[in-house]
Every structure is written in C-alpha cells, then in structure tokens.
Amino acid sequence: RKETMSILIERYKDKVSTLSASPDNQLRKYEDFWYFHGFWHHSKANFTVEAVMAVQDDFQALPTDIFLASHPKTGTTWLKALAFAIVNRSQFKTGIASCPTHPLLTISPHDCVPFIETESFLNNPSYANGLLATHIPYTSLPKSIITSDCRIVYICRNPKDVLISLWHFLNKVRDDSSPMKLVDLFEIFSKGMSPCGSFWDHVIGYYKANLERPDKVLFLKYEDLKKDPKNVVKRLAKFLGNPFTEEEESDGSVEKIIELCGFETLHKVNKVSSEQVYFRKGVVGDSGSYLTTEMIETLDKITKEKFDGLSISF
Ligand code: A3P
C-alpha cells in the first residue's frame, strides 16, 4: 500500500493536534515519549510520530521476525551489520578478502535491515531474513511484535556519548537553519526531550522486558561490544538462532565478522554516500572532549537517579 508523507500527516492530524509540544516546537509527546512530527528529515516520514502511529495501526509481525531495537545513536548501525552478517554467513564468506561481494561491502547496514517506522518501509514492507529494526520504545511497539513473541535485541550506550553523537548527527541531517548549539540540545536531552526519548526511559523499558522475558529480549551495550566483541558477538549469534560452531570458533569466523562490521571497514564503504552520517568516530568516551564538567555531573546524576536499583552501568 502506498503511504506518502502527506497522507500520513493527514491521516493522523487530529490525533497529533492533541499532543503536547516541546518548548522549541520540534517534538511531540506520544505515549510518554517524544518524536519529530510532520515534514522532518528530507521530507520523509522517518521516525516521526505519524510513522509510529502508522506502524502501530498497520504492521503485522511474524513470529519469526527479529527486531533490532535502540534509542538513536546507540550503535544501531553496528548492530544491524553484525546481525545481518551473522544470519547470512553461510551465504557469504565473511572474510573481507574472500568475499568482496558481501552486501555490507557495497551497501549500508540500513539497506540490509530496514527500520519499520520509515516512509520507505511503510510504502514497501518487504524484507529478507526476518531482520527488522526500530527506535520505538518497548511500551509503544506495535502489539503484534509482543503477541507474536518476537525476539528483540536491544542495544544501549552511555548517555553522554549518545548526546554528542546525536548533536553531530542532527547538525548534519537537519536541512534547515543554523547549527544547533550543544548547550541547547543538552537542555532538552536532559529533560528527556530527545527524539524517541527520554533516553533513560527508553533504556528502562527494554531493560525490564529483558528481565521479564530474557529468552525473547537480549540487552546489549555498545561499550561491551567495544571491549569484548568476540563474546558479545557469540551471545548475539546464539540469541539469533545461529550459534557459531566449534569449527567456526576455531577457524576465525567470529573475528572475520567483527572485522567486516568494524567501524573502519563500514566507514570506508559508506564514505561517499549519504550514509556517511552514520559513521562519525565510533569511540567510547568521546563526549569528554565536548561536555563541560557541569554537564557531565548533571547527566551522571540523572543516570544514577533514573537507573537506581537497576544493574545498568556504563
Ligand atoms: P559517534 O557519533 O560517537 O561516532 P546509530 O547507528 O545508532 O545511529 O549510532 C551511531 C554511532 O555509532 C556513531 O557514534 C557512529 O560513529 C557509531 N558507529 C557506527 N558504526 C559503527 C561500527 N561499525 N562500530 C562502532 N561504532 C559505530
């Protein structure tokens, strides 16, 4: 079914008009989370509140579907690449030298695993391998994802690095006006008003789902993937239903997948396309070069309070 941006805006205009607006009027609050709305991001319905409403109304998950979920800028692109490479490894030899035709060496991870709340997916809901992605918070996911008992892999990341990554990203993709000041984004991010935020509530939703349904919801951290990629990738493969065999573990298959999906490789592949915005630096703790001591203290305090009693640390 053809859904265009204008149709979506028209379809949900009454519902959207009742939502509260952020002080800068950029975001709308829907089911306790904030979203862009209307004509955002190159005139596509990507991640807007209208797109979320449309997938809630129309999307039917299959029990075999696996969702890669995240708050924006937490390592979504990396997770998509890893999951795609793992699930398809019998089809493509994953060694970079041995398989120059691997899709990840020519197209973006976002073309391999589509987001459901985008105009392109709403227009053409076709996908291979049962892998899909979403930034929608757990409590707002289309009902069929939960009722079909779909597996979900969630990735999260330290909020200070998320803020800095988001700041760079928004300044690259916003096609209007002058660059956004970090202090302004810091103000709204720390109040929970980030796209698909609050960041902390987003994490908590999936964290609790992981505690309740550990066999269906896997909870990963960007920092763990950086620190110990081999172990995390093995856990991921097992959860995806494609565990590495003993032979694969000893013949270097895990390492090959890590190299194929590594920042260096993907950054090079996507350098000359519009996808380059998804590969900036890929470093843990980069926020230390941008945030003031006061900003760091504020964010650490919020994180401590929000995650009190939960074992989430970065
Ligand atoms: P930085 O802006 O800190 O560099 P998302 O994919 O959720 O949009 O997150 C983007 C962040 O992940 C960016 O962080 C980006 O550089 C980083 N990233 C993208 N691909 C990566 C990879 N293969 N390995 C590690 N980090 C990666």
Side-chain angles (χ1 to χ4, degrees):
R1 165 160 136 255
K2 291 273 171 228
E3 282 278 26
T4 66
M5 183 62 191
S6 316
I7 293 170
L8 281 184
I9 292 174
E10 183 58 30
R11 182 172 165 197
Y12 293 108
K13 81 170 186 285
D14 293 344
K15 209 169 162 184
V16 172
S17 70
T18 65
L19 304 176
S20 20
S22 58
D24 62 1
N25 200 30
Q26 293 250 12
L27 304 171
R28 292 289 178 273
K29 193 179 193 179
Y30 176 59
E31 297 181 347
D32 284 332
F33 287 84
W34 294 91
Y35 302 91
F36 286 112
H37 69 103
F39 289 98
W40 184 76
H41 197 323
H42 312 301
S43 305
K44 291 205 177 130
N46 295 345
F47 318 111
T48 60
V49 73
E50 293 90 348
V52 173
M53 290 171 176
V55 284
Q56 285 182 336
D57 284 346
D58 299 343
F59 179 72
Q60 274 302 320
L62 299 172
T64 45
D65 289 341
I66 299 175
F67 288 84
L68 310 180
S70 59
H71 180 282
K73 312 328 289 174
T74 55
T76 322
T77 315
W78 195 8
L79 177 62
K80 282 185 179 190
L82 287 167
F84 181 84
I86 289 168
V87 167
N88 292 291
R89 69 184 185 276
S90 61
Q91 202 180 337
F92 306 103
K93 284 211 184 92
T94 48
I96 291 171
S98 58
C99 189
T101 57
H102 195 289
L104 286 169
L105 295 176
T106 47
I107 59 171
S108 159
H110 295 290
D111 295 323
C112 300
V113 183
F115 284 111
I116 54 172
E117 66 276 31
T118 54
E119 186 179 43
S120 57
F121 187 78
L122 288 162
N123 277 337
N124 178 24
S126 67
Y127 52 101
N129 317 302
L131 286 178
L132 288 165
T134 186
H135 285 322
I136 300 176
Y138 186 76
T139 45
S140 289
L141 286 174
K143 291 282 168 287
S144 62
I145 297 180
I146 310 296
T147 54
S148 305
D149 231 9
C150 295
R151 273 168 292 172
I152 299 171
V153 182
Y154 186 69
I155 187 158
C156 71
R157 186 183 189 187
N158 132 37
K160 291 172 284 190
D161 288 349
V162 173
L163 168 63
I164 292 306
S165 186
L166 183 66
W167 176 55
H168 285 283
F169 181 79
L170 289 177
N171 277 338
K172 278 180 210 149
V173 299
R174 271 157 33 114
D175 34 25
D176 56 331
S177 67
S178 50
M180 193 174 206
K181 284 198 200 124
L182 176 57
V183 63
D184 295 337
L185 187 64
F186 164 80
E187 282 299 325
I188 58 168
F189 183 88
S190 49
K191 292 193 177 86
M193 292 176 198
S194 54
C196 308
S198 126
F199 165 82
W200 295 273
D201 293 338
H202 201 288
V203 175
I204 291 169
Y206 283 94
Y207 174 83
K208 288 191 172 161
N210 161 260
L211 288 185
E212 282 158 21
R213 305 162 60 224
D215 54 328
K216 295 294 174 186
V217 183
L218 181 68
F219 190 87
L220 302 178
K221 285 194 292 194
Y222 183 95
E223 290 76 11
D224 291 345
L225 252 178
K226 276 271 167 191
K227 206 170 20 174
D228 190 1
K230 203 171 167 186
N231 253 318
V232 180
V233 166
K234 283 191 325 199
R235 274 175 67 207
L236 176 61
K238 201 169 163 208
F239 183 83
L240 295 172
N242 286 271
F244 289 98
T245 61
E246 267 177 39
E247 196 192 336
E248 283 179 309
E249 283 195 26
S250 55
D251 74 6
S253 296
V254 186
E255 286 83 355
K256 280 181 192 165
I257 284 185
I258 292 167
E259 190 189 353
L260 172 69
C261 302
F263 183 87
E264 301 300 324
T265 309
L266 298 185
H267 176 61
K268 215 182 283 167
V269 172
N270 294 279
K271 218 173 183 155
V272 291
S273 79
S274 59
E275 296 294 300
Q276 62 173 286
V277 289
Y278 292 99
F279 307 92
R280 190 184 62 93
K281 217 163 173 188
V283 166
V284 173
D286 185 47
S287 53
S289 323
Y290 296 92
L291 299 171
T292 63
T293 313
E294 212 180 357
M295 287 171 169
I296 290 173
E297 279 171 10
T298 305
L299 291 171
D300 285 347
K301 189 164 165 267
I302 298 169
T303 305
K304 197 163 170 264
E305 284 168 9
K306 279 283 196 182
F307 294 167
D308 183 37
L310 313 177
S311 55
I312 313 171
S313 57
F314 296 102

Coordinates of all heavy atoms in Angstrom, one line a residue, residues 70-78 81 110 135 157 161 164-166 168-169 222 226 261-264 266 277-283 286, ligand 1:
S70 N 16.6 0.1 19.5 CA 17.6 1.1 20.1 C 17.0 2.5 20.2 O 16.1 2.8 19.4 CB 18.8 1.1 19.2 OG 18.5 1.6 17.9
H71 N 17.6 3.2 21.1 CA 17.4 4.7 21.0 C 18.4 5.2 20.0 O 19.5 4.6 19.8 CB 17.7 5.3 22.4 CG 17.6 6.8 22.5 ND1 18.5 7.7 22.0 CD2 16.6 7.5 23.0 CE1 18.1 8.9 22.2 NE2 16.9 8.9 22.8
P72 N 18.1 6.2 19.2 CA 19.0 6.7 18.2 C 20.4 7.0 18.8 O 20.5 7.5 19.9 CB 18.4 8.0 17.7 CG 16.9 7.8 17.9 CD 16.8 7.0 19.2
K73 N 21.4 6.7 18.0 CA 22.8 7.0 18.2 C 23.5 6.1 19.3 O 24.4 6.5 20.0 CB 23.1 8.4 18.6 CG 22.4 9.5 17.7 CD 22.3 9.1 16.3 CE 23.6 9.0 15.5 NZ 23.3 8.5 14.1
T74 N 22.9 4.9 19.5 CA 23.5 4.0 20.5 C 24.2 2.8 19.9 O 24.7 1.9 20.6 CB 22.4 3.4 21.4 OG1 21.4 2.8 20.5 CG2 21.7 4.5 22.2
G75 N 24.4 2.8 18.6 CA 25.1 1.7 17.9 C 24.2 0.8 17.0 O 24.5 -0.3 16.7
T76 N 23.0 1.4 16.6 CA 22.1 0.7 15.8 C 22.7 0.2 14.5 O 22.5 -1.0 14.1 CB 21.0 1.7 15.4 OG1 20.7 2.6 16.5 CG2 19.7 1.0 14.9
T77 N 23.5 1.0 13.8 CA 24.1 0.7 12.5 C 25.0 -0.5 12.7 O 25.0 -1.5 11.9 CB 24.9 1.9 12.0 OG1 24.1 3.1 12.1 CG2 25.2 1.7 10.5
W78 N 25.8 -0.5 13.8 CA 26.7 -1.6 14.1 C 26.0 -2.9 14.3 O 26.3 -3.9 13.8 CB 27.5 -1.1 15.3 CG 28.8 -1.9 15.6 CD1 29.3 -2.9 14.7 CD2 29.6 -1.8 16.7 NE1 30.5 -3.4 15.3 CE2 30.7 -2.8 16.5 CE3 29.6 -1.1 17.9 CZ2 31.6 -2.9 17.5 CZ3 30.6 -1.2 18.8 CH2 31.6 -2.2 18.7
A81 N 24.6 -4.4 11.2 CA 25.6 -5.0 10.4 C 26.0 -6.4 11.0 O 26.0 -7.4 10.3 CB 26.9 -4.1 10.3
H110 N 21.8 -0.1 6.9 CA 20.4 0.3 6.9 C 19.6 -0.2 5.7 O 18.4 -0.2 5.8 CB 20.3 1.9 7.0 CG 20.9 2.4 8.3 ND1 20.3 2.2 9.5 CD2 22.0 3.0 8.6 CE1 21.0 2.7 10.5 NE2 22.1 3.2 10.0
H135 N 13.3 2.2 16.4 CA 13.7 3.1 17.5 C 12.5 3.3 18.5 O 12.6 4.0 19.5 CB 14.1 4.5 17.0 CG 15.4 4.5 16.4 ND1 16.5 3.8 16.8 CD2 15.9 5.3 15.3 CE1 17.6 4.1 16.1 NE2 17.2 5.0 15.1
R157 N 23.7 2.6 25.1 CA 25.0 3.2 25.2 C 25.0 4.3 26.2 O 24.0 4.9 26.5 CB 25.3 3.8 23.8 CG 26.7 4.4 23.6 CD 26.8 5.0 22.2 NE 28.2 5.4 21.9 CZ 28.6 6.1 20.8 NH1 27.7 6.5 19.9 NH2 29.8 6.4 20.7
D161 N 27.8 9.9 25.6 CA 28.2 9.7 24.2 C 27.0 9.8 23.2 O 27.2 10.2 22.1 CB 29.0 8.4 24.0 CG 30.3 8.4 24.7 OD1 30.8 9.5 25.0 OD2 31.0 7.3 24.9
I164 N 26.3 13.5 22.4 CA 27.3 14.1 21.5 C 27.1 13.5 20.1 O 27.2 14.2 19.1 CB 28.8 13.8 22.0 CG1 29.0 14.7 23.3 CG2 29.8 14.2 21.0 CD1 28.7 16.2 23.1
S165 N 26.9 12.2 20.0 CA 26.6 11.6 18.7 C 25.4 12.2 18.1 O 25.4 12.5 16.9 CB 26.5 10.1 18.9 OG 26.4 9.4 17.7
L166 N 24.3 12.4 18.9 CA 23.1 12.9 18.4 C 23.3 14.4 17.9 O 22.7 14.8 16.9 CB 22.0 12.9 19.5 CG 20.6 13.4 19.2 CD1 20.0 12.4 18.1 CD2 19.8 13.4 20.4
H168 N 26.0 15.9 16.7 CA 26.7 15.9 15.4 C 25.7 15.4 14.3 O 25.7 16.0 13.3 CB 27.9 14.9 15.4 CG 29.1 15.5 16.2 ND1 29.9 16.5 15.7 CD2 29.6 15.2 17.4 CE1 30.9 16.8 16.6 NE2 30.7 16.0 17.6
F169 N 25.0 14.4 14.6 CA 24.1 13.8 13.6 C 23.0 14.8 13.2 O 22.8 15.0 12.0 CB 23.5 12.5 14.2 CG 22.5 11.8 13.2 CD1 23.0 11.0 12.2 CD2 21.1 12.0 13.3 CE1 22.2 10.4 11.3 CE2 20.3 11.3 12.4 CZ 20.8 10.5 11.4
Y222 N 26.8 -1.0 23.9 CA 27.8 -0.5 22.9 C 29.2 -0.7 23.5 O 30.1 -1.2 22.9 CB 27.5 0.9 22.6 CG 28.5 1.5 21.5 CD1 28.1 1.6 20.2 CD2 29.7 2.1 21.9 CE1 28.9 2.2 19.2 CE2 30.5 2.7 20.9 CZ 30.1 2.7 19.6 OH 30.9 3.3 18.7
K226 N 32.5 -2.9 22.3 CA 33.8 -2.4 22.0 C 34.9 -3.1 22.8 O 36.0 -3.4 22.3 CB 33.8 -0.9 22.5 CG 33.3 0.1 21.5 CD 34.5 0.5 20.6 CE 34.0 1.2 19.4 NZ 35.0 1.4 18.4
C261 N 32.3 -5.9 10.1 CA 31.3 -5.0 10.7 C 32.0 -3.9 11.5 O 31.3 -3.0 12.1 CB 30.3 -5.7 11.6 SG 29.4 -7.0 10.7
G262 N 33.3 -3.9 11.5 CA 34.0 -2.9 12.3 C 33.9 -1.5 11.7 O 33.6 -1.3 10.5
F263 N 34.1 -0.5 12.5 CA 34.0 0.9 12.1 C 34.8 1.2 10.9 O 34.3 1.9 9.9 CB 34.3 1.8 13.3 CG 34.1 3.3 13.0 CD1 32.9 3.9 13.2 CD2 35.2 4.0 12.4 CE1 32.7 5.2 12.8 CE2 35.0 5.4 12.1 CZ 33.8 6.0 12.3
E264 N 36.1 0.8 10.9 CA 37.0 1.1 9.8 C 36.4 0.6 8.5 O 36.4 1.4 7.5 CB 38.4 0.4 10.0 CG 39.1 0.8 11.3 CD 39.4 2.3 11.4 OE1 39.7 2.8 10.4 OE2 39.3 2.8 12.5
L266 N 33.3 -0.3 7.6 CA 32.0 0.2 7.2 C 32.1 1.7 6.9 O 31.4 2.2 6.0 CB 30.9 0.0 8.2 CG 30.6 -1.5 8.5 CD1 29.4 -1.6 9.5 CD2 30.2 -2.2 7.2
V277 N 26.8 9.8 7.4 CA 26.4 10.4 8.6 C 26.3 9.4 9.8 O 26.3 9.8 10.9 CB 25.0 11.1 8.5 CG1 25.2 12.4 7.7 CG2 23.9 10.3 8.0
Y278 N 26.2 8.1 9.4 CA 26.1 7.1 10.5 C 27.4 6.6 11.0 O 27.5 5.8 11.9 CB 25.3 5.9 10.0 CG 23.8 6.2 9.8 CD1 23.4 6.5 8.5 CD2 23.0 6.3 10.8 CE1 22.1 6.9 8.3 CE2 21.6 6.7 10.6 CZ 21.2 7.0 9.3 OH 19.9 7.3 9.2
F279 N 28.5 7.1 10.4 CA 29.9 6.7 10.8 C 30.7 7.9 11.1 O 31.3 8.5 10.2 CB 30.5 5.9 9.7 CG 29.7 4.7 9.3 CD1 28.8 4.8 8.2 CD2 29.7 3.5 9.9 CE1 28.0 3.8 7.8 CE2 28.9 2.4 9.5 CZ 28.0 2.6 8.5
R280 N 30.7 8.3 12.4 CA 31.5 9.5 12.7 C 32.8 9.2 13.3 O 33.8 9.4 12.7 CB 30.6 10.4 13.7 CG 31.2 11.8 13.9 CD 30.4 12.5 15.0 NE 30.4 11.9 16.3 CZ 31.3 12.1 17.2 NH1 32.2 13.1 17.1 NH2 31.3 11.5 18.4
K281 N 32.8 8.6 14.5 CA 34.1 8.3 15.1 C 34.1 6.9 15.8 O 35.1 6.2 15.8 CB 34.3 9.4 16.2 CG 35.7 9.8 16.4 CD 35.7 11.1 17.2 CE 37.1 11.6 17.6 NZ 37.0 12.7 18.5
G282 N 33.0 6.5 16.4 CA 32.9 5.2 17.0 C 33.8 5.0 18.1 O 34.4 3.9 18.3
V283 N 33.9 6.0 19.0 CA 34.8 5.9 20.2 C 34.0 6.0 21.5 O 33.1 6.7 21.6 CB 35.8 7.0 20.0 CG1 36.6 7.2 21.3 CG2 36.8 6.8 18.9
D286 N 34.0 9.7 23.9 CA 34.3 10.9 23.1 C 33.6 12.1 23.6 O 34.1 13.3 23.4 CB 33.8 10.6 21.6 CG 34.2 11.7 20.7 OD1 35.4 12.2 20.7 OD2 33.3 12.2 19.9
Ligands
A3P1 P1 29.7 8.5 17.2 O1 28.9 9.7 16.7 O2 30.0 8.6 18.7 O3 30.9 8.3 16.4 P2 23.5 4.7 15.4 O4 24.0 3.7 14.5 O5 22.6 4.2 16.5 O6 22.9 5.9 14.7 O7 24.8 5.3 16.2 C1 25.8 5.9 15.5 C2 27.0 5.8 16.4 O8 27.6 4.5 16.2 C3 28.1 6.8 15.9 O9 28.8 7.2 17.1 C4 28.9 6.0 14.9 O10 30.2 6.5 14.7 C5 28.9 4.7 15.7 N1 29.2 3.5 14.8 C6 28.7 3.3 13.5 N2 29.1 2.2 13.0 C7 29.9 1.7 14.0 C8 30.7 0.5 14.0 N3 30.8 -0.4 13.0 N4 31.5 0.2 15.1 C9 31.5 1.1 16.1 N5 30.7 2.2 16.2 C10 30.0 2.5 15.1

